[in-house]
Amino acid sequence: MVICRPGEEGVWDIDTWLMSCRVLGRKVEHMVLREVLEHARAAGIHKLTGAYIPTERNKLVIDHYAKLALRKSVRRVWLTRWELIVEGAQPEARP
């Protein structure tokens, strides 16, 4: 499940990205991102943003956005922000 919220004009902020740990690393996250991008393009969105806030429970996904080719835009001890320009973004090709 991915929940995106409108940010500044033309931006969706990924508020929640929830996946079973059993599917992580099996390229399901790439398929999910492709779907999000398809909906973003249809809605005229030009950028996706998201944040990683480290906790004991989410260490498994510390590099989730990096693996999906989002660019790190802000880094602090308690938060890392990421962004992806929708135009031309192509998550890893289907197998």
Side-chain angles (χ1 to χ4, degrees):
M1 172 179 72
V2 177
I3 299 172
C4 294
R5 298 188 185 277
E8 59 190 63
E9 188 172 334
V11 177
W12 276 355
D13 187 51
I14 301 168
D15 176 79
T16 304
W17 189 307
L18 179 64
M19 295 182 73
S20 166
C21 61
R22 292 180 182 210
V23 299
L24 284 170
R26 296 181 184 210
K27 307 298 182 194
V28 176
E29 57 272 28
H30 295 274
M31 183 275 306
V32 171
L33 180 57
R34 279 194 297 274
E35 285 294 315
V36 170
L37 286 167
E38 184 177 316
H39 289 277
R41 288 180 182 120
I45 299 301
H46 65 84
K47 181 167 57 173
L48 297 176
T49 63
Y52 172 75
I53 301 170
T55 68
E56 284 298 316
R57 296 187 68 187
N58 71 4
K59 287 181 180 180
L60 178 65
V61 294
I62 192 168
D63 57 356
H64 176 73
Y65 287 134
K67 286 182 177 179
L68 292 173
L70 276 78
R71 183 181 66 83
K72 192 181 301 180
S73 61
V74 174
R75 182 167 190 213
R76 295 196 169 71
V77 172
W78 54 273
L79 167 109
T80 308
R81 293 216 43 90
W82 299 84
E83 61 183 39
L84 179 66
I85 301 303
V86 171
E87 181 70 28
Q90 296 181 358
E92 205 169 285
R94 292 183 172 111

